[in-house]
C-alpha cells in the first residue's frame, strides 16, 4: 500500500470536528483522537516503534501505525486467538459488525469459549490500532487486511478463497447468466445483479443445502478436499463430470485456464460458518510433569549455583596468564574451545555457555594487544571479591537480560560463515524476552513442580504463533531459545530438577504466585483496553512471549548438582540487602546486584559457608570439606594440585607442587606453619618429609644467563649432570669445577634439569634467588557487551507521558479552527500561515493585550519548521514571550523566526 493510501486512511481535513460526540469515527486518526491519554499510552507501550521519532500529531501517528513494517511487527506479537480474530476480519465484509465476526469465529452452532474470549481479542486489536471503529463497524487497518486476506500468491491461514464477486471479476455476462440458470436462479439483466443473486444463494443456508442435496456424491468429495484449504485445484480442459457439475453451478469458479477455486461463501457454508478449522480461544495449560518438595528444589538449585561460580572461577584461573588467541574475524577457535572444555571438564556446548556468560558479564574480554588474546578483566577482580550470592546475582542478571546466544555457536549465518564462540553474530534480540517468559510460566506452576516441556512449548507457540513464510518453513528460533533456556537455567541454578527455585522466582519482577498463571507485566502497568461489550481483558491470558517447537528437557550437560553439607531450608525473608555499591558504579554488573538483591538474599543461606581448614591425610592428600576462604584457597592452589572436585575437593601434594610453592618465595618453615595452622588433623609425617626433602634440594643448583649457566658448590653433582645422557640437548660444558655453561636459555635449562629429577633455582645477575609467581594477565578496563534488542525498547511511564502530551499538543496545533482569512489570503490546508513582518508584529501585540490565542508558523535555529499554538504575554525587544500550548510551558520566540500568524476561532483551552 502506498503512502497516499495511508494518508487517506489517517487524514482528517482541517476544520472537521473530532469524534468527541456520538458520531462514529470515519478514519483511524479520528478513532485515536477519541481515545483518552491512557489509551494512547497503551498503544505506544504495545507498539514502541511508533515512538521513534515521536509523531508530531495524531494524523501522523495513524499514518505510521498503518505502515507495513509496523503492522507486521504488531501482528507478530499477537497471540494465536487474537491473530485468528484478525484473520477472520480480513475475510469478513469491511466494515464488519461484531455479530458477523462472532459468527466467523464460533460458527453456526456457537462456542461458549470463543464467545467469552472474543471481546478480549477485539480489545487487544483495538488497543494496538490494528482494528478501529465501533462494534457495529469494525475495521481492520488496510495494511493488515492486505497481509492477511487470501490471494493466489499468499493463501490465507484460514484456507478460504476469494468471494464470488472477486472470483467472477472479468467473467463474461453470458457465462454469469449460464451459471445462475444452472443453479436454479432467475436470469438478470446485468452482471452486478447476477453476482448478487449468486452470493445470496450461497449465503442462504436453506437454499444452499437444497442445492447440495442434488449434487453427485463424487462432487461432494471434491468439495471436501477443498473446503479447509487450499481452495485452488487444477482441472483438465475436459473435466470429470463431478467437477463439471460444480463448475456449471458456480460452486467452483475459474481462477486461470487450468485452475478453479472454491468461493469463500461456499466454503463457509460447508464449514458451518467457521473461518478456522480449530479456533483456539483458550491458551494451552502448562502441565507439571514431576513435583518435588520446594526445599529439595531450592537446595538442588543452590548446589548448581555454587558449581556455576566455581566453573567461572576455574575458567578465569585457566586464562589467568593469558588465554587463547582471538580469531582474525573475532571469537574463539574450535581447537581452543575444545581445550577449554577439557580444562573445565564439561562438554563443548556447556563450555560455550560459560564462556559467553563470563563474557556477557564483562569478566573476560580480549586484551587488545598486537597478538590479541582473551584474559580476565579488572572487573573480574572486583567480582571475585563479592559474597558468593551476589556473584551469582551478577551472572543470573547477565544471563536473563543478555542477547548472546551460545547455542548458535558452530552453526552458520545467512552467508554461510560459521559462528564462533565469543565472536560476532551470536546476538538474538528475542532471547531476553523468551527467557523471561519461560521463567514466568514456570513461576505459575505450584512450588516445586517441573513442567512437561511439550506443554510449555505448546503454550509458547500459542502466545506467539508463526505466521507467513516462517510457518511454511517451520523455522522457529524461539523454540530453540526456549529449549536452551530450560537447560541454561538448570546449569546456572535458577531451576532445580526442572522446577523454579525461590531465588529464581525472585529474579522476575512481578512474578505470579505459585500455582497461578497470571504473571504481572515487568513494568507493573496494567493498561486498560476498550473491548467489545465492555469486557475487561486484564483477567484473560496474557499476550506473552512466544516460543515454538519442542525439545527434550532435563539433559544432563554438566553433572549432578548439590555440593557440601545439607542446605538449610530457604529463608523467605529477604534479610540483609546485598551491597549494591560494591562496584562503585564502574560497570553495569553492580546494577544486576541491586536489581536482584532479593534473589541473592534468598540464595545466601543455601550456599555453603567458606571454611578455613582442610583435613590432611597420610597419602599426601588434603580434603577441603567445603569452599575454602579466598587466601587459603589461593595458597593451597600453589602448594598442591587439585585431584578431584565435588562436594569436597581433594588436593594432592607432589614434589613438583611443593617446588612450585618454594619457587613462589615460600620457605620450608613457612609451609610447615601454614599447614599446621589450617589443618584440623596433625601434619602427616610423609608430607613433612616431602616438604623438607624438596626444600633441601631446592636452590642447590643455580641457573643464570650466559646464554645460561649452572653453578653448584658440589662439583660431583655437576659431574652427574654431564654424565646423564638426558642432558645432551642442553649442550653443557664445564667452565670451572663448580660452573657449567649451556647453549639453551635459562627457562629451557630449568625445565630440562627438573625433568632429570633435580630442583634448580633461578638466580639474578647479582646472584640472588629469583622468586617466580604466576603472572596474572589482565585486559585494560572493558565495558561488558551491551544487549542488542530486537526492536525499540519498551518506553517507561515518563517517556509515555511526555510523548502523549507532545502528540496531543501537536494535534491541537494541526486541527485547531482558525478565523476566516480574507479571500486569497488563506493558507493551504495544513500549511503554516504566511504574513508580513508588520502584520506579525501587530497581530502578536494585539493578542498580548487581549489575551487571545494565536496559531504561528516558526522556524528554529536549525531551520526546522513547526506549527505552534501560543498565548502571547509580552512583546518587547524583538521577542515575544508566550505560553506555548504545544510544549505546555512559557517560552520566548524571536519575532524574525515567526513566519506568520493566524487568529484562532476559539481558545483551545
Amino acid at each position: 500500500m502506498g503512502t497516499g493510501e495511508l494518508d487517506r486512511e489517517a487524514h482528517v481535513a482541517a476544520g472537521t470536528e473530532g469524534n468527541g460526540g456520538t458520531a462514529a469515527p470515519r478514519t483511524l486518526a479520528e478513532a485515536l483522537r477519541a481515545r483518552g491519554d491512557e489509551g494512547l499510552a497503551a498503544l505506544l507501550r504495545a507498539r514502541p516503534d511508533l515512538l521513534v521519532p515521536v509523531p508530531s500529531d495524531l494524523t501522523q501517528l495513524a499514518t505510521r501505525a498503518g505502515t507495513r513494517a509496523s503492522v507486521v511487527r504488531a501482528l507478530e506479537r499477537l497471540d494465536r486467538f487474537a491473530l485468528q480474530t484478525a484473520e477472520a476480519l480480513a475475510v469478513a465484509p469491511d466494515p464488519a459488525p461484531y455479530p458477523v465476526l462472532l459468527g466467523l469465529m464460533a460458527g453456526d452452532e456457537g462456542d461458549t469459549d470463543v464467545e467469552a474470549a472474543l471481546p478480549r481479542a477485539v480489545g487487544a486489536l483495538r488497543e494496538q490500532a490494528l482494528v478501529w471503529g465501533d462494534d457495529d463497524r469494525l475495521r481492520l487497518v488496510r495494511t493488515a487486511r492486505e497481509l492477511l486476506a487470501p490471494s493466489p500468491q499468499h493463501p490465507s491461514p484460514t484456507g478460504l478463497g476469494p468471494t464470488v464477486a472477486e472470483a467472477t471479476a472479468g467473467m463474461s455476462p453470458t457465462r454469469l447468466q449460464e451459471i445462475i440458470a444452472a443453479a436454479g436462479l432467475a436470469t438478470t439483466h446485468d452482471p452486478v445483479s447476477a453476482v448478487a443473486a449468486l452470493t445470496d444463494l450461497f449465503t442462504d443456508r436453506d437454499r444452499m443445502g437444497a442445492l447440495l442435496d442434488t449434487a453427485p456424491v463424487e462432487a461432494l468429495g471434491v468439495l471436501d478436499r477443498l473446503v479447509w484449504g487450499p481452495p485452488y485445484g487444477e482441472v483438465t480442459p475436459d473435466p470429470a463430470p463431478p467437477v463439471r457439475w460444480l463448475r456449471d453451478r458456480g460452486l467452483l469458479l475459474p481462477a486461470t485456464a487450468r485452475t478453479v477455486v472454491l468461493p469463500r461463501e461456499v466454503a463457509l457454508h460447508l464449514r458451518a460458518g467457521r473461518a478456522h478449522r480449530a479456533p483456539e480461544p483458550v491458551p494451552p495449560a502448562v502441565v507439571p510433569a514431576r513435583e518435588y518438595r520446594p526445599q529439595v528444589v531450592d537446595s538442588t538449585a543452590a548446589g548448581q549455583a555454587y558449581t556455576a561460580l566455581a566453573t567461572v572461577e576455574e575458567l578465569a584461573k585457566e586464562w589467568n596468564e593469558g588465554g587463547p588467541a582471538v580469531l582474525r574475524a573475532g571469537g574463539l577457535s574450535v581447537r581452543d574451545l575444545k581445550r577449554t572444555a577439557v580444562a573445565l571438564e564439561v562438554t563443548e556446548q556447556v563450555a560455550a555457555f560459560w564462556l559467553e556468560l563470563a563474557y556477557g558479564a564483562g569478566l573476560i574480554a580480549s586484551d587488545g594487544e598486537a597478538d590479541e588474546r582473551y584474559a580476565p578483566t579488572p572487573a573480574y577482580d572486583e567480582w571475585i571479591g563479592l559474597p558468593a550470592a551476589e556473584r551469582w546475582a551478577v551472572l543470573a542478571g547477565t544471563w536473563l537480560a543478555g542477547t548472546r546466544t551460545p547455542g548458535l555457536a558452530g552453526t552458520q549465518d545467512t552467508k554461510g560463515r560459521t559462528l564462533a564462540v565469543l565472536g560476532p553474530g551470536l546476538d538474538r534480540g528475542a532471547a531476553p524476552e523468551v527467557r523471561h517468559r519461560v521463567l514466568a510460566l514456570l513461576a505459575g506452576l505450584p512450588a516445586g513442580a517441573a513442567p512437561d516441556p511439550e506443554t510449555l512449548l505448546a503454550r509458547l507457540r500459542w502466545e506467539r504463533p508463526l505466521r507467513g513464510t516462517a510457518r511454511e518453513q517451520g523455522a522457529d528460533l524461539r523454540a530453540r531459545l526456549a529449549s536452551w533456556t530450560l537447560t541454561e537455567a538448570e546449569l546456572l541454578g535458577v531451576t532445580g530438577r526442572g522446577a523454579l527455585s525461590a531465588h529464581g522466582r525472585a529474579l522476575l519482577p512481578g512474578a505470579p504466585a505459585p500455582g497461578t498463571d497470571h504473571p504481572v507485566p515487568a513494568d507493573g502497568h496494567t493498561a486498560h483496553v476498550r473491548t467489545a461489550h465492555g469486557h475487561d481483558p486484564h483477567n484473560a491470558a496474557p499476550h506473552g512471549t512466544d516460543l515454538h517447537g519442542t525439545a527434550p528437557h532435563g539433559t544432563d550437560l554438566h553433572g549432578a548438582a548439590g555440593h557440601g553439607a545439607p542446605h538449610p531450608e530457604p529463608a523467605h525473608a529477604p534479610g540483609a540487602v546485598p551491597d549494591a555499591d560494591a562496584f562503585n558504579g564502574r560497570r553495569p554488573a553492580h546494577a544486576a546486584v541491586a536489581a536482584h538483591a532479593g534473589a541473592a538474599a534468598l540464595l545466601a543461606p543455601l550456599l555453603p559457608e567458606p571454611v578455613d581448614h582442610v583435613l590432611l591425610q597420610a597419602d599426601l592428600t588434603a580434603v577441603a570439606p567445603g569452599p575454602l576462604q579466598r587466601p587459603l584457597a589461593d595458597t593451597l592452589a600453589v602448594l598442591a594440585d587439585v585431584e578431584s572436585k565435588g562436594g569436597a575437593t581433594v588436593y594432592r601434594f607432589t614434589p613438583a607442587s611443593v617446588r612450585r610453592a618454594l619457587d613462589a618465595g615460600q620457605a620450608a618453615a613457612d609451609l610447615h606453619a601454614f599447614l599446621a595452622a589450617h589443618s584440623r588433623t596433625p601434619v602427616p609425617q610423609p608430607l613433612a618429609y616431602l616438604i623438607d626433602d624438596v626444600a633441601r634440594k631446592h636452590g642447590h643448583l643455580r641457573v643464570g644467563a650466559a646464554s645460561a649457566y649452572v653453578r653448584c658448590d658440589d662439583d660431583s653433582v655437576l659431574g652427574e649432570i654431564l654424565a646423564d645422557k638426558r642432558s645432551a640437548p642442553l649442550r653443557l660444558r664445564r667452565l670451572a669445577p663448580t660452573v657449567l655453561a649451556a647453549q639453551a636459555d635459562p627457562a629451557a635449562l630449568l625445565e630440562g634439569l627438573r625433568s632429570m629429577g633435580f630442583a634448580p633455582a633461578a638466580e639474578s645477575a647479582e646472584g640472588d634467588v629469583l622468586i617466580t609467581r604466576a603472572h596474572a594477565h589482565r585486559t585494560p578496563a572493558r565495558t561488558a557487551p551491551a544487549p542488542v534488542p530486537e526492536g525499540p525498547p519498551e518506553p517507561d511511564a515518563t517517556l509515555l507521558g511526555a510523548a502523549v502530551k507532545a502528540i496531543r499538543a501537536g494535534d491541537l496545533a494541526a486541527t485547531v479552527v482558525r478565523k476566516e482569512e480574507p479571500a486569497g489570503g488563506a493558507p493551504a490546508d495544513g500549511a503554516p500561515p504566511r504574513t508580513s513582518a508588520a502584520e506579525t508584529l501587530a497581530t502578536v501585540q494585539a493578542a498580548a493585550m487581549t489575551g487571545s490565542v494565536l496559531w504561528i508558523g516558526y522556524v528554529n535555529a536549525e531551520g526546522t519548521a513547526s506549527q505552534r499554538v501560543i498565548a502571547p504575554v509580552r512583546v518587547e525587544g524583538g521577542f515575544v514571550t508566550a505560553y506555548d500550548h504545544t510544549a505546555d510551558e512559557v517560552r520566548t520566540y524571536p519575532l524574525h523566526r515567526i513566519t506568520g500568524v493566524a487568529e484562532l476561532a476559539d481558545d483551545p483551552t
Side-chain angles (χ1 to χ4, degrees):
M1 179 174 57
T3 305
E5 290 175 320
L6 288 176
D7 290 341
R8 284 194 295 275
E9 181 173 9
H11 181 66
V12 178
T16 302
E17 292 293 336
N19 190 32
T22 58
R26 296 170 299 169
T27 64
L28 178 58
E30 284 190 1
L32 295 179
R33 193 166 287 117
R35 291 191 182 194
D37 289 350
E38 291 184 2
L40 287 179
L43 168 62
L44 297 176
R45 186 183 301 111
R47 299 175 64 177
D49 56 294
L50 301 180
L51 268 177
V52 185
V54 177
S56 61
D57 54 39
L58 289 172
T59 300
Q60 188 180 79
L61 176 63
T63 302
R64 191 178 297 174
T67 58
R68 184 181 181 87
S70 182
V71 170
V72 168
R73 183 185 296 273
L75 290 175
E76 289 176 346
R77 299 185 68 85
L78 295 176
D79 64 45
R80 188 181 299 279
F81 188 66
L83 183 59
Q84 286 181 331
T85 303
E87 292 166 351
L89 279 172
V91 298
D94 186 27
Y98 183 85
V100 172
L101 175 62
L102 179 60
L104 288 172
M105 296 300 297
D108 296 341
E109 298 178 356
D111 187 319
T112 56
D113 289 338
V114 170
E115 293 173 3
L118 188 59
R120 177 194 63 82
V122 173
L125 294 173
R126 270 203 184 110
E127 180 187 71
Q128 300 191 40
L130 295 172
V131 168
W132 58 278
D134 295 331
D135 286 349
D136 58 341
R137 295 178 63 84
L138 293 174
R139 291 183 181 271
L140 191 66
V141 293
R142 186 178 290 110
T143 307
R145 178 174 290 274
E146 292 174 355
L147 290 169
L148 299 176
S151 68
Q153 296 77 21
H154 304 286
S156 168
T158 62
L160 294 171
T163 63
V164 171
E166 294 168 346
T168 57
M171 184 178 290
S172 68
T174 303
R175 177 60 183 148
L176 277 174
Q177 298 301 324
E178 293 174 352
I179 290 175
I180 65 173
L185 300 175
T187 58
T188 62
H189 299 289
D190 61 273
V192 175
S193 56
V195 170
L198 198 61
T199 301
D200 291 341
L201 170 64
F202 292 162
T203 54
D204 188 313
R205 294 288 187 263
D206 295 333
R207 289 194 295 158
M208 186 63 175
L211 177 62
L212 291 177
D213 287 342
T214 65
V217 176
E218 296 82 359
L220 295 178
V222 173
L223 294 178
D224 288 340
R225 290 196 295 272
L226 298 177
V227 63
W228 291 108
Y232 295 90
E234 292 187 3
V235 295
T236 62
D238 185 18
V243 175
R244 188 183 303 113
W245 190 93
L246 294 171
R247 192 179 63 177
D248 291 344
R249 288 156 181 77
L251 298 175
L252 291 180
L253 293 172
T256 65
R258 298 180 59 86
T259 307
V260 293
V261 64
L262 182 68
R264 187 180 306 171
E265 293 85 352
V266 177
L268 287 173
H269 173 84
L270 296 172
R271 297 179 178 193
R274 284 186 182 271
H276 297 87
R277 183 193 290 263
E280 299 183 50
V282 180
V286 181
V287 179
R290 298 170 303 277
E291 293 192 18
Y292 307 95
R293 290 189 301 111
Q295 293 81 3
V296 173
V297 170
D298 293 345
S299 297
T300 304
Q304 191 57 42
Y306 169 71
T307 301
L309 298 178
T311 304
V312 174
E313 291 179 36
E314 186 67 24
L315 171 63
K317 289 178 182 178
E318 183 69 20
W319 291 6
N320 191 53
E321 298 182 50
V326 181
L327 293 174
R328 182 178 301 177
L332 196 66
S333 68
V334 175
R335 180 178 58 186
D336 290 326
L337 175 61
K338 290 180 178 179
R339 289 176 177 171
T340 303
V342 170
L344 298 179
E345 300 179 359
V346 297
T347 64
E348 293 174 30
Q349 180 184 0
V350 176
F353 168 69
W354 295 123
L355 286 167
E356 287 290 347
L357 183 62
Y359 175 69
L363 306 181
I364 60 173
S366 60
D367 58 12
E369 302 292 339
D371 55 341
E372 197 170 14
R373 312 184 74 82
Y374 288 106
T377 64
Y380 170 78
D381 298 319
E382 300 178 3
W383 176 80
I384 201 66
L386 290 175
E390 295 183 24
R391 281 185 280 139
W392 179 85
V394 173
L395 297 180
T398 299
W399 171 74
L400 198 57
T403 56
R404 300 286 296 179
T405 311
L408 294 174
T411 62
Q412 292 185 336
D413 61 11
T414 55
K415 297 182 179 179
R417 296 173 298 194
T418 301
L419 300 176
V421 177
L422 304 183
L426 291 184
D427 285 288
R428 294 296 182 271
E433 184 183 13
V434 170
R435 292 177 187 135
H436 276 88
R437 187 59 188 140
V438 169
L439 295 187
L441 289 175
L442 294 181
L445 295 175
D452 178 0
E454 294 293 335
T455 62
L456 176 68
L457 295 173
R459 171 62 173 269
L460 296 171
R461 284 194 297 270
W462 183 90
E463 291 182 352
R464 188 73 61 80
L466 287 171
R467 196 183 63 81
T469 56
R471 174 187 293 173
E472 296 167 4
Q473 299 171 359
D476 184 16
L477 172 65
R478 291 177 177 268
R480 291 181 288 164
L481 286 173
S483 176
W484 295 332
T485 296
L486 293 173
T487 301
E488 292 167 0
E490 193 76 15
L491 285 173
L492 193 54
V494 176
T495 60
R497 302 193 181 186
L500 189 65
S501 63
H503 50 274
R505 187 185 306 276
L507 293 173
L508 301 173
T516 65
D517 195 12
H518 304 286
V520 178
D523 59 1
H525 293 294
T526 53
H528 181 73
V529 296
R530 183 170 61 96
T531 65
H533 306 307
H535 180 71
D536 184 358
H538 294 310
N539 293 326
H543 303 289
T545 308
D546 76 286
L547 317 159
H548 320 285
T550 58
H553 176 55
T555 304
D556 187 1
L557 296 178
H558 191 36
H563 302 273
H567 300 299
E569 293 189 5
H572 294 285
V577 177
D579 182 11
D581 297 325
F583 290 101
N584 297 318
R586 282 188 284 174
R587 65 183 180 89
H590 82 284
V593 176
H596 305 303
L602 289 173
L603 176 63
L606 302 176
L607 293 175
E609 288 292 335
V611 298
D612 60 353
H613 64 275
V614 295
L615 305 176
L616 295 178
Q617 303 186 107
D619 61 349
L620 297 181
T621 60
V623 178
L628 297 176
Q629 292 180 350
R630 183 65 47 198
L632 174 58
D634 293 341
T635 304
L636 196 58
V638 177
L639 180 58
D641 298 322
V642 176
E643 187 170 79
S644 65
K645 301 176 183 177
T649 304
V650 178
Y651 294 86
R652 178 162 295 279
F653 299 94
T654 65
S657 68
V658 174
R659 190 203 70 245
R660 187 170 63 230
L662 295 174
D663 286 343
Q666 299 288 338
D670 298 332
L671 299 181
H672 285 299
F674 170 78
L675 294 174
H678 293 94
S679 175
R680 289 290 177 89
T681 59
V683 178
Q685 193 176 53
L687 178 56
Y689 284 171
L690 174 65
I691 295 174
D692 292 338
D693 186 51
V694 174
R696 184 168 54 254
K697 297 178 182 178
H698 185 264
H700 194 51
L701 292 176
R702 299 294 183 90
V703 175
S707 273
Y709 64 84
V710 183
R711 69 180 181 89
C712 181
D713 295 337
D714 188 349
D715 57 353
S716 64
V717 175
L718 297 184
E720 181 184 348
I721 293 173
L722 287 172
D724 196 322
K725 292 181 179 180
R726 292 176 295 177
S727 67
L730 303 177
R731 303 174 66 181
L732 297 169
R733 63 189 181 90
R734 190 185 292 270
L735 297 181
T738 58
V739 180
L740 297 179
Q743 296 186 27
D745 61 86
L749 182 55
L750 280 167
E751 189 64 30
L753 292 175
R754 287 168 179 165
S755 66
M756 295 166 61
F758 297 96
E763 69 176 10
S764 66
E766 292 76 19
D768 300 324
V769 175
L770 291 176
I771 297 174
T772 58
R773 293 187 177 91
H775 174 64
H777 180 61
R778 292 291 181 267
T779 70
R782 290 281 190 264
T783 302
V788 180
E790 190 176 24
E794 183 173 324
D796 57 22
T798 303
L799 177 58
L800 284 175
V804 169
K805 191 175 183 180
I807 293 171
R808 288 285 192 202
D811 194 61
L812 172 64
T815 60
V816 70
V817 180
R818 298 179 291 276
K819 287 185 178 181
E820 293 292 335
E821 297 286 340
D829 181 27
R834 292 287 179 178
T835 56
S836 65
E839 291 174 328
T840 298
L841 178 60
T843 305
V844 171
Q845 288 176 332
M849 289 186 293
T850 60
S852 58
V853 181
L854 302 177
W855 182 74
I856 69 170
Y858 181 74
V859 178
N860 64 14
E862 288 75 28
T864 303
S866 61
Q867 306 173 34
R868 300 179 178 276
V869 177
I870 66 171
V873 177
R874 183 174 63 256
V875 181
E876 61 182 8
F879 293 87
V880 53
T881 301
Y883 175 76
D884 190 333
H885 290 274
T886 309
D888 196 19
E889 63 182 6
V890 176
R891 290 185 174 181
T892 300
Y893 297 101
L895 284 171
H896 69 275
R897 293 194 178 277
I898 298 178
T899 60
V901 296
E903 296 183 66
L904 301 183
D906 298 299
D907 191 329
T909 59

